[in-house]
Amino acid sequence: MSEQESRRAADRESNAAVVSAYEDHMMPIWKSLDVPVKRASGCTLEDVEGNEYLDVFAGIAVTNVGHGNEAVVDAAKDQLEEFVHGCSYVHPNEPVADLAERIADVTPGDLEKTFFCNSGTEAVEGAVKLARKYTGSKEVISLEMGFHGRTLGSLALTGNKSYKQGMAPTLNDVAHTAPPYGYRCPRCEGGECNSGCADELERVIGSHTSGDLAAIVVEPVMGEAGIVVPPEGWLERVQEIAHDHGALLIADEVQTGYGRTGELFASSHFDVEPDILTQAKGIANGLPLGAFTATAEIADAFESGDHLSTFGGNPVACAAALATIDELQDGIVDDAREQGQWLADELGALEDEYDVVGQTRGLGLMWGVELVDPETTGPQNVSPAPDSDLAAAVSDYLRDESNVVMGVGGYYKNVMRFQPPLTISRDQLQYAVDELRAALETVA
């Protein structure tokens, strides 16, 4: 290490120094939970100064089998010693072949062929390209409030102005339809979603498209929108309408996949077999990898050269993904489902106890706690107003007073997000719930 490098390392033995380096040399798009990470293990983060935190956010629902999972780390190390890169679309190799075969086994229905890329947004972009090639059509519909990525194509599908400001125009031929968000829906009057928004798709197709529909893209559970769970029958109806118009259903499982909802894929909760399924985040427990998987008939619409990725299907990441699936299927997904049932009751009790908790909702270990101002009516005169200031204050309290890292999300930035590593223990989960209650008692 050079003298300059040694000095830099010594200078960065504080959280503030790391943040300062970010401010000086990183483009100003990063958001901070104010916990710079030096190391992590299981469900615990350690910052540069040695402080430890319970992680119930998992790097945005990524480290599903726990930080530093030994089997995943060993698989990646073993592959590092073999070879790191040869471009998997030029040099066929076992990690990619084995993972593609495994994904065909574990995904719903007859999804059989996979394209590997590096991220969720790339997976969505590729899935839309494939849908267009297969159907010969061009138009795409997604959900208001949905999130599908930040590159220009996936950004067009994202139904939230805050991600798009200053970035237009994006991909043309995209329309949006209402999400199954009953809590803030005038039709549902703030109650449970009645699936009427699924039938609204016909109106959107008739009035906002030219009838040249290639795909409808939906998250089976909407993550960035605030953990919005559709009712039974909604996803089936969306797929039925898509097929009636010669279009495909693309299930964006980037955030919901790999055990997050208590099933390996959230589509399985709704007995739906998507035509194309996108994956990333939890697929390799933190190594950069994305994928989209389709039936053989749809996948074979692609010809050589139609799509490619230099780093997609990196053998190290694929080896880690294989180990991740092994770990998930060795009881972790079952535990997540069981823990989620317990968490539903605990968070439901908070909803009963505190007027500022408007609604709790989720599946498995993907739960949202929507915080509100009970004295003010919300958008469209439905339900109490969202309280983003309270959510920010609760997040700060949890970090500073309880050493708990919890994300904040939702369309209105007012939803506390329980998305921990699926390996979280009951005691750790109980601590997170107890400290959330303490935060509500203190700052609400």
Side-chain angles (χ1 to χ4, degrees), residues 278-302:
T278 68
Q279 307 135 66
K281 288 192 182 293
I283 188 173
N285 207 49
L287 274 75
L289 184 64
F292 58 97
T293 306
T295 64
E297 178 183 338
I298 293 169
D300 288 346
F302 267 171

Side-chain angles (χ1 to χ4, degrees), residues 326-371:
D326 285 343
E327 291 288 283
L328 288 167
Q329 292 189 313
D330 192 25
I332 290 178
V333 176
D334 294 336
D335 288 346
R337 184 164 53 250
E338 181 181 337
Q339 294 269 53
Q341 293 167 354
W342 177 87
L343 186 58
D345 292 337
E346 293 292 310
L347 297 182
L350 293 182
E351 186 176 336
D352 293 337
E353 292 172 32
Y354 297 96
D355 291 341
V356 296
V357 177
Q359 190 180 58
T360 59
R361 50 188 180 255
L363 289 171
L365 287 177
M366 183 177 184
W367 278 83
V369 178
E370 179 152 357
L371 301 183

Side-chain angles (χ1 to χ4, degrees), residues 97-384:
D98 291 347
L99 180 58
E101 185 176 27
R102 189 70 177 279
I103 287 175
D105 288 340
V106 301
T107 47
D110 295 324
L111 302 177
E112 191 171 334
K113 293 189 176 184
T114 292
F115 181 94
F116 292 113
C117 49
N118 305 286
S119 67
T121 192
E122 291 176 65
V124 171
E125 296 253 359
V128 170
K129 282 183 65 176
L130 177 59
R132 284 179 157 189
K133 184 73 185 294
Y134 175 76
T135 63
S137 297
K138 300 296 182 287
E139 294 172 318
V140 184
I141 293 176
S142 56
L143 299 183
E144 296 168 356
M145 302 173 59
F147 182 84
H148 300 285
R150 299 175 191 262
T151 54
L152 288 179
S154 59
L155 187 63
L157 302 172
T158 293
N160 188 328
K161 180 182 72 174
S162 66
Y163 295 111
K164 298 183 180 183
Q165 289 174 329
M167 305 297 175
T170 57
L171 182 73
N172 294 324
D173 297 326
V174 172
H176 291 86
T177 190
Y181 187 23
Y183 185 66
R184 298 203 177 277
C185 175
R187 295 186 199 87
C188 300
E189 299 180 340
E192 294 299 316
C193 176
N194 61 23
S195 290
C197 51
D199 290 321
E200 274 287 290
L201 262 174
E202 292 285 7
R203 182 188 64 79
V204 171
I205 292 169
S207 58
H208 293 279
T209 78
S210 68
D212 189 35
L213 190 62
I216 299 174
V217 185
V218 300
E219 302 162 85
V221 176
M222 300 176 72
E224 301 303 305
I227 321 299
V228 176
V229 182
E232 185 177 347
W234 179 86
L235 192 58
E236 295 97 315
R237 180 62 179 141
V238 169
Q239 185 175 49
E240 179 183 20
I241 292 171
H243 288 175
D244 285 347
H245 289 270
L248 304 181
L249 176 69
I250 299 175
D252 182 345
E253 296 247 24
V254 167
Q255 191 165 152
T256 55
Y258 292 93
R260 174 55 50 191
T261 65
E263 295 284 350
L264 203 58
F265 295 97
S267 303
S268 299
H269 288 285
F270 308 106
D271 292 325
V272 167
E273 299 175 2
D275 301 301
I276 306 175
L277 186 147
T278 68
Q279 307 135 66
K281 288 192 182 293
I283 188 173
N285 207 49
L287 274 75
L289 184 64
F292 58 97
T293 306
T295 64
E297 178 183 338
I298 293 169
D300 288 346
F302 267 171
E303 301 172 86
S304 178
D306 278 349
H307 206 51
L308 198 67
S309 172
T310 299
F311 294 109
N314 173 271
V316 178
C318 288
L322 281 162
T324 297
I325 295 171
D326 285 343
E327 291 288 283
L328 288 167
Q329 292 189 313
D330 192 25
I332 290 178
V333 176
D334 294 336
D335 288 346
R337 184 164 53 250
E338 181 181 337
Q339 294 269 53
Q341 293 167 354
W342 177 87
L343 186 58
D345 292 337
E346 293 292 310
L347 297 182
L350 293 182
E351 186 176 336
D352 293 337
E353 292 172 32
Y354 297 96
D355 291 341
V356 296
V357 177
Q359 190 180 58
T360 59
R361 50 188 180 255
L363 289 171
L365 287 177
M366 183 177 184
W367 278 83
V369 178
E370 179 152 357
L371 301 183
V372 299
D373 176 359
E375 304 300 322
T376 307
T377 303
Q380 303 183 83
N381 295 315
V382 179
S383 298

